[in-house]
Amino acid sequence: MNDLKIEGAPLPDMPWQDRPADSKAVLWRYSENPVIPRDIISTSNSVFNSAVVPFKGGYAGVFRCDDTCRRMRLHVGFSADGIHWHISETKLEFESEDEEIGKFVYGYDPRVCFIEDRYYVTWCNGYYGPTIGVAYTYDFETFHQLENAFLPFNRNGVMFPRKIKGNYAMLSRPSDNGHTPFGDIFFSESPDMCFWGKHRHVMAPSPFEESAWQSMKIGAGPIPIETSEGWLLIYHGVLLSCNGYVYSFGAAILDLDEPWKVKYRSRPYLISPQKEYECVGDVPNVTFPCAALHDPETRRIAIYYGCADTVTGLCFGYIDEIIEFTKKNAM
Ligand code: BMA
């Protein structure tokens, strides 16, 4: 894959560890996982499913911090190296011109996407049930909340890092008001970040016999990465086991101009809950990616993922190897 072209700003100093000598895995875990403990702030029960981006020579993020009342909250954090984080003790407050939209009920599973001149935050926003909240910030201090992208119920709103054919683009996963036992990924676009439409179906869960880890529901993870092979999408998939839901993640490659067309989708997972911090916690057996950092030149990727709905993990890989793996193992 020597001619593979990867878009994105250079990030040579991104968090990284080489693949362990005894590993042949496509993705390998950070040796000091969990990278963010559950009690990094005094009010948190757990810090997981969270989003980070490069910011001013370091990193910034929006973190899902469930508090000790077990309320789902978002908190802002900063880091010089992407490993050691300072997370605000107080919850993120959005500014909104509309009282109805700005009324905070709950927020979880944020994603952060830099487009043109600002950072957009999308998250699962409580508005008569879960839907996709949208806000933007320039500085991670003031956040301007926009209209919710969709009607409830919806989760896993993930923006593309540039306009596609002139419109903003987002993946999402229509759901129900509970622990949704179904779920397909859809594509939607918007001319103005207010009105979303032209909805297209992207992917359904797979037949159990084909790929059981993604047979009950699926949802987009980190912001897709643009490559000459297509958009690299890391997504989570859920298996319904006799002991409940099991969340793993894998990769797909979407057409660049028409991202609802799936070019390749891997049958095996990349990461499934196997380490103790992924198997034991408030919700056992969950690995849930929400963000990735990458460096186009070295092809390195670092993926942040929630572990057992309790802590945040980090794993590493090479983008060209993930693409090769996805093509070779495509359904
Ligand atoms: C999903 C979301 C995630 C969570 C996962 C496992 O429906 O609520 O935030 O990590 O369930 O509990």
Side-chain angles (χ1 to χ4, degrees):
M1 302 209 69
N2 288 337
D3 51 354
L4 180 73
K5 198 167 174 305
I6 302 168
E7 299 296 327
L11 208 57
D13 297 326
M14 61 179 268
W16 183 254
Q17 278 179 337
D18 284 332
R19 178 189 273 121
D22 59 350
S23 169
K24 288 198 172 65
V26 181
L27 295 182
W28 57 96
R29 292 164 174 86
Y30 176 47
S31 62
E32 306 305 310
N33 264 354
V35 64
I36 302 176
R38 66 185 303 164
D39 57 354
I40 190 168
I41 56 175
S42 65
T43 55
S44 61
N45 166 77
S46 40
V47 182
F48 52 115
N49 308 354
S50 299
V52 312
V53 285
F55 179 69
K56 283 192 178 167
Y59 303 90
V62 177
F63 295 83
R64 171 173 176 177
C65 300
D66 290 6
D67 68 14
T68 47
C69 309
R70 294 299 296 267
R71 298 176 300 184
M72 300 181 286
R73 298 287 188 253
L74 302 174
H75 289 235
V76 175
F78 299 95
S79 170
D81 59 6
I83 301 279
H84 303 91
W85 287 90
H86 176 79
I87 298 180
S88 165
E89 286 279 330
T90 54
K91 83 174 177 71
L92 194 169
E93 304 283 352
F94 295 100
E95 296 196 351
S96 172
E97 283 165 14
D98 188 309
E99 214 177 293
E100 162 114 7
I101 293 303
K103 187 166 166 270
F104 185 85
V105 180
Y106 55 75
Y108 61 94
D109 298 359
R111 273 64 166 193
V112 180
C113 185
F114 183 75
I115 308 177
E116 291 170 356
D117 63 347
R118 65 192 77 181
Y119 302 86
Y120 286 95
V121 186
T122 52
W123 71 97
C124 189
N125 186 36
Y127 181 73
Y128 300 93
T131 186
I132 308 302
V134 185
Y136 69 87
T137 181
Y138 297 105
D139 53 12
F140 286 87
E141 280 168 25
T142 309
F143 291 78
H144 307 273
Q145 189 170 355
L146 305 173
E147 292 290 326
N148 292 319
F150 306 113
L151 291 169
F153 309 116
N154 203 319
R155 291 185 172 103
N156 299 302
V158 176
M159 292 198 66
F160 286 78
R162 66 165 170 84
K163 290 179 180 167
I164 299 175
K165 292 190 180 163
N167 283 335
Y168 296 98
M170 201 195 299
L171 299 170
S172 73
R173 216 281 307 285
S175 64
D176 67 12
N177 201 10
H179 300 296
T180 320
F182 60 86
D184 297 23
I185 299 176
F186 286 82
F187 173 91
S188 308
E189 53 187 75
S190 170
D192 56 4
M193 289 299 293
C194 180
F195 296 98
W196 291 86
K198 291 194 178 173
H199 312 293
R200 296 285 182 279
H201 183 261
V202 181
M203 293 200 285
S206 60
F208 183 87
E209 297 72 19
E210 276 269 310
S211 180
W213 67 267
Q214 50 181 326
S215 59
M216 203 192 73
K217 56 176 168 176
I218 53 175
I223 304 309
I225 296 172
E226 184 171 7
T227 79
S228 47
E229 289 279 332
W231 295 102
L232 172 62
L233 175 70
I234 308 286
Y235 65 100
H236 71 258
V238 182
L239 162 78
L240 177 59
S241 79
C242 61
N243 195 35
Y245 292 178
V246 179
Y247 283 72
S248 308
F249 58 93
I253 298 164
L254 312 179
D255 184 83
L256 281 180
D257 296 327
E258 298 180 325
W260 54 92
K261 294 187 176 155
V262 180
K263 292 173 73 177
Y264 307 98
R265 173 180 179 184
S266 71
R267 187 178 283 120
Y269 59 69
L270 287 166
I271 292 274
S272 81
Q274 295 178 9
K275 298 291 177 190
E276 195 172 311
Y277 54 88
E278 299 164 343
C279 299
V280 179
D282 285 344
V283 181
N285 305 319
V286 180
T287 53
F288 196 99
C290 287
L293 301 170
H294 77 283
D295 178 46
E297 174 73 27
T298 56
R299 301 168 182 199
R300 291 174 174 180
I301 183 170
I303 301 171
Y304 292 81
Y305 64 103
C307 303
D309 283 13
T310 304
V311 295
T312 305
L314 183 58
C315 63
F316 305 109
Y318 289 101
I319 290 174
D320 50 340
E321 291 185 8
I322 299 172
I323 291 177
E324 220 165 82
F325 172 86
T326 307
K327 288 173 79 170
K328 203 156 53 187
N329 294 288
M331 284 198 267

